[in-house]
Amino acid sequence: MTNKIETDIVVIGAGPVGLFTVFEAGLLGLNCHLIDNLDKVGGQCIELYPEKPIYDIPGVANQTGKEHIDSLLEQIKPFDYKVHLNQRVNEISELDDNSWKLVTSTNQEFKTKNIFIAAGAGSFESRRPPVMEPDKFLGKGIDYAVKDISKYTNKEIVIFGGGDSALDWSVELAKTAKKISLVHRRDDFRGAQHTEQKMRELVSTGAIDLKVPYVIKDINGDDKFSGVNLMHFETKEIETINCDEALFFFGLNKQLGPILDWDVELKNNKILVNTKNFETSKSGIFAVGDINDYPGKLDLILCGFHETTLAVQEAFKRLNPDERVPFGYTTSNKSLQEKLKVNN
């Protein structure tokens, strides 16, 4: 066991909502330690769609997942926080002094008054195609996420899936790819209607070749990826497509993992919270972002920002029960501007 760390807030999850928790906590003079089982900060924004544009961050018309995380990291530079990567929280136990003890998979122990679960959808990995050795050419022809959009310039690409990711990347990569084929088992898509409309417009111009109803049969190649075999969903006929790259967007396998053992109230694999301060059924444990559930919940980053802002107010009260929560506007409050290291 390494030395025990004491901190005002332990944040489980270093995605956008976890990072913004550092900002809100910093404004109130609180310090945070973030824990994430990935090898980098950013959560799904970095792991799954670093190059995908995000259009619904207030005041930011267009920002990729990576740009969004970079902006959040820049925003929290003035504040006191530490990040612990490649580990997950395995154990949580309540202490006699109204604090919590956490132990991670690396046996690091934390003591805190406040736990913020900002774990997105929980632990996740991309669903693999139902073929032999789906990862044989991983990163060398086969991918489950777009991490570098330039990789696909002037390439012949086959994209599998019927949700937002498949539609978004079909439309986006059609701008620079040599050829795009979009494969789905039915001519019915689950993604945003306006994106599907753009996709169908590109199909009508020949920029995208829509292959429905087809499913993946085989991934081809001995020492080097060479393409895929498709099977017609109804006739069972086989069609071979030679291509440079194949992208599979079959969704994620999501698991709550150890959260199931933490005795917080759950509903449909999400953590129930109140809407006053987004506290769970356990005092001092908060859930913010996509991991939580309450009436009217929307899985949007901006909603997570609102949730963690109110939760941090309650965290301050738990740490300072006899004090009023300080409030001020960053545009005019000199004390807040000093914390932000703003040059006036």
Side-chain angles (χ1 to χ4, degrees):
M1 182 80 68
T2 55
N3 292 332
K4 180 165 59 180
I5 295 172
E6 292 196 29
T7 184
D8 295 328
I9 299 174
V10 169
V11 183
I12 302 172
V17 176
L19 294 176
F20 193 67
T21 300
V22 173
F23 179 79
E24 289 298 324
L27 292 179
L28 298 183
L30 308 181
N31 57 67
C32 297
H33 281 250
L34 292 85
I35 304 168
D36 203 296
N37 64 341
L38 297 175
D39 62 356
K40 60 183 80 68
V41 300
Q44 294 187 41
C45 281
I46 292 297
E47 189 68 10
L48 297 182
Y49 49 90
E51 297 283 349
K52 181 179 176 180
I54 303 172
Y55 299 103
D56 59 359
I57 303 300
V60 182
N62 185 347
Q63 195 175 52
T64 67
K66 183 179 185 305
E67 288 170 341
H68 182 52
I69 296 303
D70 288 345
S71 294
L72 286 165
L73 289 171
E74 183 67 26
Q75 188 178 34
I76 63 177
K77 271 185 177 180
F79 298 122
D80 179 18
Y81 75 100
K82 297 288 188 298
V83 180
H84 307 266
L85 300 173
N86 291 310
Q87 55 188 298
R88 69 179 188 178
V89 176
N90 283 342
E91 302 174 26
I92 289 179
S93 56
E94 193 168 6
L95 303 175
D96 293 337
D97 63 351
N98 204 28
S99 295
W100 292 95
K101 182 178 82 170
L102 304 89
V103 181
T104 73
S105 54
T106 63
N107 285 326
Q108 175 64 62
E109 183 177 323
F110 295 83
K111 180 182 178 182
T112 186
K113 287 275 190 180
N114 303 286
I115 298 171
F116 278 51
I117 304 174
S123 299
F124 61 90
E125 66 174 18
S126 299
R127 291 175 185 157
R128 273 31 181 177
V131 298
M132 293 289 291
E133 298 184 279
D135 291 346
K136 180 178 179 181
F137 299 110
L138 185 60
K140 300 177 181 179
I142 299 294
D143 282 301
Y144 306 112
V146 176
K147 297 186 178 182
D148 179 5
I149 197 170
S150 65
K151 175 181 179 179
Y152 303 95
T153 301
N154 203 32
K155 297 287 184 67
E156 296 189 9
I157 308 163
V158 179
I159 297 176
F160 293 84
D164 283 316
S165 293
L167 290 172
D168 288 346
W169 284 118
S170 295
V171 171
E172 186 67 25
L173 294 177
K175 300 173 184 177
T176 56
K178 183 177 180 180
K179 181 180 179 182
I180 294 284
S181 298
L182 175 60
V183 181
H184 192 39
R185 63 184 176 182
R186 58 181 181 272
D187 196 13
D188 181 29
F189 292 83
R190 305 182 307 279
Q193 187 174 0
H194 71 278
T195 312
E196 180 180 347
Q197 182 178 347
K198 288 181 181 178
M199 177 272 290
R200 293 192 183 278
E201 289 172 358
L202 291 169
V203 170
S204 67
T205 65
I208 293 177
D209 181 18
L210 180 60
K211 308 290 293 184
V212 292
Y214 282 90
V215 295
I216 182 68
K217 176 65 175 176
D218 300 295
I219 293 173
N220 297 330
D222 294 322
D223 298 326
K224 182 181 179 182
F225 174 74
S226 62
V228 293
N229 288 338
L230 308 181
M231 183 176 72
H232 194 280
F233 194 61
E234 296 169 353
T235 67
K236 309 305 178 186
E237 294 180 358
I238 304 298
E239 179 177 341
T240 298
I241 297 182
N242 297 320
C243 59
D244 302 301
E245 304 281 346
L247 285 161
F248 292 90
F249 297 113
F250 290 158
L252 302 173
N253 290 317
K254 302 175 183 177
Q255 299 178 353
L256 290 183
I259 294 175
L260 294 170
D261 302 323
W262 296 347
D263 202 26
V264 292
E265 190 174 355
L266 301 173
K267 181 181 180 181
N268 297 326
N269 277 342
K270 288 197 168 193
I271 302 173
L272 288 174
V273 295
N274 67 55
T275 52
K276 178 182 178 182
N277 52 39
F278 299 94
E279 198 169 33
T280 69
S281 56
K282 293 291 185 180
S283 180
I285 300 182
F286 305 84
V288 291
D290 290 357
I291 196 72
N292 72 16
D293 190 39
Y294 54 86
K297 168 68 179 181
L298 294 176
D299 288 342
L300 296 172
I301 293 173
L302 64 93
C303 293
F305 290 166
H306 160 76
E307 294 159 12
T308 204
T309 300
L310 297 187
V312 166
Q313 302 275 309
E314 184 65 21
F316 182 93
K317 294 176 185 177
R318 285 178 53 79
L319 290 159
N320 306 281
D322 298 324
E323 295 184 30
R324 180 180 62 85
V325 181
F327 179 79
Y329 297 104
T330 56
T331 53
S332 57
N333 188 289
K334 298 296 184 183
S335 176
L336 292 180
Q337 290 176 3
E338 287 177 4
K339 290 179 179 179
L340 292 168
K341 296 181 172 58
V342 174
N343 296 320
N344 295 316

